[in-house]
Amino acid sequence: MYGSVRLGDDAVIMLVGTDGIVRAKVGEDGKAIGRKLDSPVWRRLLASPPDRPTVHRTLMSSEKMIDVAPVMGYPLRVVVGLSKNDYLASYRLEERRLISIGAIATGLLSLAAILIAMLQLRSNAAFQSLVLVEQNNRLINSTLAVNNDRFQAMSEHLSIGLCMFDGSGNLVVCNDNFLKMYDLPFELRDREASFKEVVILCVDNGFWAVRNGDEGGVSEPTYWGRLDEEPSNRCVYDLVDGRSILVTRQRMNTGGWVFTHDDITEKRKKDRQIELLALSDSLTSLANRARLLRELESMVASEDRNFALLLLDLDHFKSVNDSLGHPVGDKLLIEVAERIKRTCREGDVVARLGGDEFAVIAKDLQAVKDASKLAARLIQEVSQPYLVASHELVIGVSIGIALAHSTDLAPEVLMQDADVALYRAKAEGRNAYRIFAQQMMLQVKQRRLLETELRTAAIENQFEPYFQPIVNTHDGRAVGYEALARWHHPSKGLVMPGEFIDAAEETGLIGPIGRQLFRQACQAMRRAPENAFLSINISPVQLRHNDFVERILKLLQEGGLEPDRAQIEITEAVVLRDDAITQHNLLALRHAGVRIAVDDFGMGYSSLSYLKEYPFDTVKIDKSFTSGVTDNGRGLAIVKAIVELAHAIGMDVTAEGVETEEQFTLLRSIGCSKVQGYLLGRPVPVDMIFAGSATAYTPSSDDLGAGKIYA
């Protein structure tokens, strides 16, 4: 039986009596059967079996774990001895099993820990996100609260009305200015009134008008547009009470609309004033050039072409400015503007283009003669005397008229045509009107060509002085020479001054041309008889220059001619303008020794008062009077009266245009001391006049007529 027990390789099992005798044994050598185990340790173990196995090294052949167990009902003990390895084998197997289980559990726990950590991290991140969201929400709410406060404060300080409607068309925001603008109740914004209700209240309060609908005669307010139809825009509305409101509507990205209402009534008034100033002449309050052109564009674009453009240019106005100063000139312009405006009809446009130029758009004309009648009335009114700053002034006006009769007429063409007609009126004597005709344009082109050629001639020095002797009637000796201008045109030949002097004066070329001729004439006088004087015609334009005296004396000095051998000739029309600068310059020249002669005497105005006011040395009788001395007694009597008047006030007399011996004889008999004319010598070049061959010179037909040199 014992042999069937399976033990470990080093295990021992014995059946021992309580008396210590070994009854049976398995393991080791098995020889101990019948042997008594009598050591104290065995006696104790057998007498009191231990609760758990104990380790003993000496009780058996090797160290073993010994366990003693009594056999119930018998005086026997079962003794088992196992080696430590065998004893612990099951424990180690369990240990390995438990370790494996522990490793697996540890892995699972680690994985779980990782998962838990990840979940914890996610939880923490989510928590942090929630914290950040909460913080952002608090910040946003705080910012919104601050911005709302600022927006409300700002909106209340705006000078404009502000209102905001949400996507449903309910009022969500409005400032006090908006409510006050239309006398709306303040509780309106507290109850989120609808857009339509706000508009109807504005109408009921008498600010916004009601318009008729497009269909069925349905009426609705002329408000700021429908919320669901019209886009963002800006529009100005004129209210019933006269105010002008600029309404700006802007759709919000989040839905709804923002409206601003700006009362621009005063701004529009100022804009109109600014526009009026921009289109008005600051001096006369008439329309200016810009407004005139705008009116012309409107008239040309319209179907009604029964109108005319009149351009007005004042005659002799510059002499008023030069003699009395710009303040007096400005007052005169204001008076002229009033007369023109008073003469025109209510619907006509009266404008000042600048300086002394005016314009009129005469509307609703029934015939060409209507424009002519208006021009005649304007000339009559403007030419009446003026009393300005205690000065009685008389001026004239020249008028050019362009009729709007062409279907493709442009404003600039009308202006050009009227200007051409004006030029014709001034060229034909001034204080007159002319209606544009196509042939006038050809004359303008010829005039422009003449001006271009004059500029070239001045640069190339194509002018030459011709000389005509002034003869003493007592001995027939030449005592002086009048210098007369001639133009050696490269293609036309010799051109007389009557063909270019006016153009030279208008273009300002008279100055350089006159200085060239004056310098040449002074140099030529070195070859003249001793004490013979040079007589030179002076342009009225130059006579009014402040540096006129200095310029004349300098030219005399450059030419080597003493001032007392020079005589300047001016027309009586110049002195009759009562020009202070002219009078000053003449007195200064006279003081320097230059003689002063009044040319074409008797051809101007009837006043003789200037003869005592100006320092004249000589009166030159016009050839129209000279030619009449042999016709009848009246002609001779007039010339005789002029001679006697001049002698009475200490002035010398020269008669122009003497062509016959009879004229010469009569003039000498009535006391005329000097004469000039074809009888005594025609104008000839310097080489002929001072070579002693003047009397033998027979001029060509082109050389007939006199011309003046203007210094």
Side-chain angles (χ1 to χ4, degrees), residues 473-486:
T473 57
H474 297 293
D475 55 15
R477 183 175 57 89
V479 294
Y481 299 89
E482 182 176 359
L484 306 169
R486 295 294 185 269

Side-chain angles (χ1 to χ4, degrees), residues 505-625:
E505 286 185 325
E506 291 182 10
T507 57
L509 292 172
I510 192 66
I513 293 173
R515 286 191 290 274
Q516 290 178 13
L517 292 169
F518 192 9
R519 189 175 291 107
Q520 295 177 45
C522 289
Q523 293 172 353
M525 286 298 293
R526 296 173 182 174
R527 301 168 58 184
E530 187 177 358
N531 297 325
F533 65 88
L534 173 66
S535 189
I536 307 167
N537 286 272
I538 299 298
S539 167
V541 175
Q542 293 177 293
L543 191 60
R544 290 192 293 271
H545 287 177
N546 291 325
D547 62 346
F548 169 75
V549 175
E550 179 182 357
R551 181 175 295 174
I552 289 295
L553 296 178
K554 183 178 180 180
L555 288 172
L556 290 172
Q557 183 179 9
E558 291 175 354
L561 190 67
E562 294 297 326
D564 59 0
R565 292 185 61 197
Q567 174 178 279
I568 65 170
E569 299 183 16
I570 60 174
T571 62
E572 62 179 346
V574 174
V575 297
L576 285 176
R577 293 174 185 172
D578 192 24
D579 191 325
I581 296 178
T582 297
Q583 187 174 13
H584 169 76
N585 287 337
L586 291 176
L587 288 171
L589 278 179
R590 187 66 186 83
H591 181 72
V594 178
R595 302 177 186 181
I596 310 296
V598 55
D599 197 14
D600 300 332
F601 184 82
M603 297 303 295
Y605 298 94
S606 59
S607 176
L608 298 176
S609 61
Y610 69 88
L611 292 177
K612 67 176 182 178
E613 295 175 0
Y614 286 85
F616 292 123
D617 296 282
T618 302
V619 170
K620 298 194 72 173
I621 301 174
D622 186 75
K623 62 181 179 179
S624 62
F625 291 104

Side-chain angles (χ1 to χ4, degrees), residues 310-313 374-376 378-379 397-401 418 421-422 425-426 431-435:
L310 289 74
L311 292 186
L312 294 75
D313 187 86
L374 175 59
L378 287 169
I379 292 173
V397 61
S398 299
I399 302 176
I401 304 173
L422 173 62
K426 296 179 77 68
N431 211 37
Y433 70 86
R434 293 292 182 270
I435 298 176

Side-chain angles (χ1 to χ4, degrees), residues 631-650:
D631 294 341
N632 53 58
R634 296 183 61 183
L636 180 61
I638 292 174
V639 173
K640 184 178 180 180
I642 294 174
V643 172
E644 292 177 351
L645 173 63
H647 288 170
I649 57 178

